[in-house]
């Protein structure tokens, strides 16, 4: 490449990489994969090494991206928080090992191999056994002080065990388990909110919430991978971490000390498949020289340590043909384009479909039916289309236009200004929307009608028997018997289940109605704030937003719902069927616990946890979500986490067993 051309390309790459850094660290909404990012960065590194005079101090090769968002106080790290060199293949790992052996003039290097957790880096400072400061990586030099938020993490003990040094720093990764992520997304889906892309993005977003009480509700976790003591207590990295574990800190159990590079490669190969059984995402393995004196001898480059490297697990990419695009209609009417692909094998499974998300994404890819496309599957389970093989496109292939009418009911689609998603506005008659609403109504967290599943909702709708949620309660056994493959026994069972659901409390009924943005928690808040549906249906914006956690968007949606005469008809019919539309007066059985906050944790012998919760409330007490200085009792069952116990102990919160608790209520 000629100098002027190289200069132009360097400028372009630098500005692209800076933008991608911002999208990844600050917005937590990356547009490209790690692999694509690393490829661009490598290209820039290569060009800069050919034309070193074009290197600027703020080039992305010289600096790490910053996660700082300006909402928190920032503070300088005691030692810079560096990133790591990356490699995607074993060959480069062997070269890394060769460089180290040469520099240290030894034959075999001892490495610590650790899973690379896909979350966000954090530095913790401990003094006298207590966490005094938590700082995000930021730009590597200074980061955001998020101590209060980090203190909400359930697996960090409030007080360390004896033996911990007076003062030290330890670094690690904050992340979210896939289960917690899925639960959070299910809640968002239930209230019609946009879904989060992956656990890493939510973990990063959660840590940057200003209100720590909100952070406490997010299922975040932490694992620590780097200890820095004041004086050199340990001769190896792994020893420091093993000690830290005995102080009560969460240190991964999966790390291994490996002698020589062959053992390291065995470790990677092993985890390349085993990682899918983990409860969290890992995108590779970090290989570190274990001896601290050797680490010191090797030192750092401007950006990375010479004694460590990250091996990234391969994301598999394949090429296949786009056979067509189909469009799915969700419960809320949101239209999702889906790529129908010529079946292709990726990481052991056959991929036939991939989500295209929305019309913006289709435009960004400029994807057209008949194109050869790149499909990729990495840490995330859902395959994605990362690009089009433009060279193999036939020049006559027409530009792909988004559909204009609903594929199910042919109503013209709408798209609100500033929104990415198209919607079908025919909420009342569009079949998948109607069936989706029925499925939501019977759901476990809504009316919990277990005798009616998703399939039966669809059948009842197709048979013209149930067109809205009120129709469930008009069904008779003979209606059911007319359906295919239905016997007396199932018919009785189905009707029984439907009738039993009439006992569900108001907050569940309210959630079951499927009002947009009214998820489980919001439904509870509204039910208890307004006490009955009539008061709620008359509430104006002001009254609604006066309720804790209700904002204008939810208020607007509630008002719109009750404005609609057809919804009024449905509610009146449900009322006629004796569904509960009044919040049960929190039945009080006593006031032994008035003003007391009780945290319940563990497994109990006599009552279920839900029963115990109800008892606390019936006796005037409040349920606390985590042990804090405001907790009056910790009702502890078996299997309660040691960190909870330790926290209660350090705060002087008394423990109650189940029998002690029951005795207290008797007294
Ligand atoms: S060591 C100087 N160990 O990966 C040592 N990092 O690409 C630098 N990460 O910023 C970090 N698991 O956020 C290290 N076991 C592990 C890790 C790990 C995940 C993250 C960390 C770091 C990034 C580097």
């Amino acid at each position: 490449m000629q100098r002027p051309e190289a200069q132009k390309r360097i400028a372009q790459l630098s500005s692209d990489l800076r933008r991608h850094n911002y999208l990844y660290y600050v917005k937590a909404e990356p547009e490209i994969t790690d692999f694509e990012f690393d490829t661009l960065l490598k290209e820039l590194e290569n060009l800069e090494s050919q034309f070193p005079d074009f290197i600027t101090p703020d080039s992305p090769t010289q600096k790490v991206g910053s996660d700082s968002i300006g909402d928190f106080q920032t503070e300088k790290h005691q030692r810079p928080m560096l990133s790591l060199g990356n490699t995607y293949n074993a060959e480069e790992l062997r070269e890394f090992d060769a460089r180290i052996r040469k520099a240290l003039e030894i034959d075999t290097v001892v490495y610590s191999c650790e899973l690379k957790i896909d979350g966000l880096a954090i530095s913790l400072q401990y003094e006298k056994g207590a966490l005094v400061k938590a700082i995000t990586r930021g730009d590597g030099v200074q980061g955001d002080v998020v101590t209060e938020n980090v203190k909400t993490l359930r697996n960090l003990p409030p007080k360390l065990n004896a033996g911990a040094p007076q003062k030290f720093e330890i670094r690690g990764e904050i992340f979210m388990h896939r289960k917690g992520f899925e639960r959070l997304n299910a809640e968002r889906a239930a209230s019609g909110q946009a879904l989060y892309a992956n656990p890493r993005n939510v973990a990063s977003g959660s840590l940057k919430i200003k209100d720590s009480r909100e952070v406490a509700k997010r299922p975040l976790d932490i694992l620590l991978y780097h200890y820095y003591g004041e004086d050199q207590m340990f001769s190896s990295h792994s020893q420091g971490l093993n000690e830290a574990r005995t102080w009560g800190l969460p240190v991964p159990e999966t790390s291994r000390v490996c002698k020589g590079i062959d053992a390291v490669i065995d470790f990677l190969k092993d985890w390349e498949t085993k990682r899918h059984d983990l409860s969290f995402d890992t995108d590779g393995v970090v290989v570190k020289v274990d001896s601290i004196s050797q680490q010191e001898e090797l030192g750092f480059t401007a950006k990375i340590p010479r004694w460590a490297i990250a091996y990234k697990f391969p994301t598999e990419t394949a090429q296949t043909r786009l056979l067509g695009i189909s469009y799915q209609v969700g419960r809320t009417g949101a239209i999702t384009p889906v790529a129908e692909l010529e079946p292709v094998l990726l990481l052991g499974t056959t991929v036939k479909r991939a989500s295209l998300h929305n019309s913006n994404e289709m435009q960004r890819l400029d994807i057209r039916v008949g194109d050869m496309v790149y499909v990729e599957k990495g840490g995330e389970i859902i395959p994605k289309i990362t690009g089009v093989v433009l060279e193999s496109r036939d020049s006559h292939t027409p530009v792909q236009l988004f559909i204009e009418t609903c594929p199910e009911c042919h109503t013209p689609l709408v798209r609100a200004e500033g929104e990415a998603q198209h919607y079908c506005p025919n909420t009342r008659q569009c079949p998948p929307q109607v069936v989706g609403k029925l499925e939501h109504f019977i759901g476990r967290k809504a009316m919990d009608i277990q005798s009616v599943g998703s399939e039966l909702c669809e059948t009842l709708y197709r048979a013209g028997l149930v067109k809205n949620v009120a129709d469930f309660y008009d069904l008779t056994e003979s209606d059911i018997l007319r359906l295919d493959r239905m016997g007396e026994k199932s018919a009785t069972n189905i009707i029984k289940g439907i009738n039993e659901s009439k006992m569900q409390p108001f907050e569940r009924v309210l959630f079951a109605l499927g009002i947009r943005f009214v998820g489980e928690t919001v439904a509870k808040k509204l039910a208890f704030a307004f006490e009955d549906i009539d008061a709620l249906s008359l509430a104006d914006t002001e009254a609604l937003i006066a309720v804790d956690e209700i904002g204008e968007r939810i208020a607007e949606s509630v008002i719109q719902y009750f404005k609609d005469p057809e919804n009024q008809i449905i509610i009146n019919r449900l009322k006629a069927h004796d569904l509960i539309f009044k919040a049960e007066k929190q039945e009080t059985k006593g006031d032994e616990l008035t003003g007391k906050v009780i945290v319940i944790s563990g497994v109990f012998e006599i009552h279920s946890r839900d029963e115990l919760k109800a008892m606390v409330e019936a006796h005037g007490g409040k349920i606390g979500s985590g042990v804090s200085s405001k907790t009056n009792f910790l009702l502890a069952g078996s299997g309660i986490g040691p960190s909870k116990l330790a926290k209660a102990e350090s705060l002087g919160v008394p423990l109650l067993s189940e029998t002690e608790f029951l005795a207290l209520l008797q007294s």
Side-chain angles (χ1 to χ4, degrees), residues 182-193 217 331 440 443-448 504-528 548-550 554 610 613:
E182 282 157 16
R183 203 184 70 216
L184 208 65
N185 256 353
E187 282 168 19
R188 287 177 75 85
S191 56
Q193 291 171 277
K217 293 185 194 158
R331 164 169 80 87
H440 172 73
R444 198 169 53 82
K445 292 188 167 179
M447 302 305 280
D448 194 21
Q504 293 292 2
F506 178 38
E507 63 272 20
R508 276 180 172 254
V509 179
L510 191 55
F511 172 59
L513 292 177
I515 305 171
R516 202 163 170 206
F517 306 131
V518 178
E520 209 192 340
T521 320
V522 170
K524 267 193 198 143
K525 302 247 165 191
L526 291 173
F528 293 120
D548 187 26
E549 279 186 43
I550 311 290
I554 300 177
D610 282 341
K613 272 189 189 166

Side-chain angles (χ1 to χ4, degrees), residues 124 156 170-173 222-226 241 249-252:
L124 309 180
L156 273 186
I170 193 159
R171 293 177 178 176
E173 199 86 352
I222 184 169
L223 281 170
L224 301 168
Y225 51 64
H226 210 112
L241 288 178
L249 287 168
V251 171

Side-chain angles (χ1 to χ4, degrees), residues 109-122:
V109 187
V110 177
Y111 293 104
S112 171
C113 295
E114 303 161 12
L115 292 182
K116 186 170 186 309
I117 303 147
D118 202 11
L120 63 148
I122 191 91

Side-chain angles (χ1 to χ4, degrees), residues 82-84 86 114-122 137 171-173 225-226 228 283 286 288 300 305 307-308 310 312:
L82 301 173
S83 94
L84 290 171
N86 274 332
E114 303 161 12
L115 292 182
K116 186 170 186 309
I117 303 147
D118 202 11
L120 63 148
I122 191 91
R137 181 164 84 153
R171 293 177 178 176
E173 199 86 352
Y225 51 64
H226 210 112
Y228 294 93
D283 55 352
V286 182
K288 301 172 183 168
F300 297 86
W307 43 265
K312 297 271 195 95

Side-chain angles (χ1 to χ4, degrees), residues 435-458 460 466 469 472-473 498 501 504 508 512:
V435 175
K437 286 192 181 73
L438 301 179
E439 287 172 345
H440 172 73
F441 187 79
I442 59 154
R444 198 169 53 82
K445 292 188 167 179
M447 302 305 280
D448 194 21
I449 310 181
Q450 291 178 14
S451 58
V452 181
S454 292
E455 217 175 304
L456 187 58
C457 285
E458 177 96 35
L460 289 168
V466 178
V469 300
F472 276 123
Y473 297 93
I498 293 175
S501 75
Q504 293 292 2
R508 276 180 172 254

Side-chain angles (χ1 to χ4, degrees), residues 457-489:
C457 285
E458 177 96 35
T459 313
L460 289 168
Y461 173 73
R462 301 260 172 238
L465 287 169
V466 178
K467 294 191 215 65
N468 62 54
V469 300
D471 291 342
F472 276 123
Y473 297 93
D474 287 335
L475 284 175
T476 61
E477 286 188 23
S478 59
D479 285 336
I480 309 278
L481 283 170
R482 278 196 279 128
L483 300 173
D484 269 357
R485 286 176 290 138
M486 279 292 175
E488 298 266 355
K489 214 170 146 195

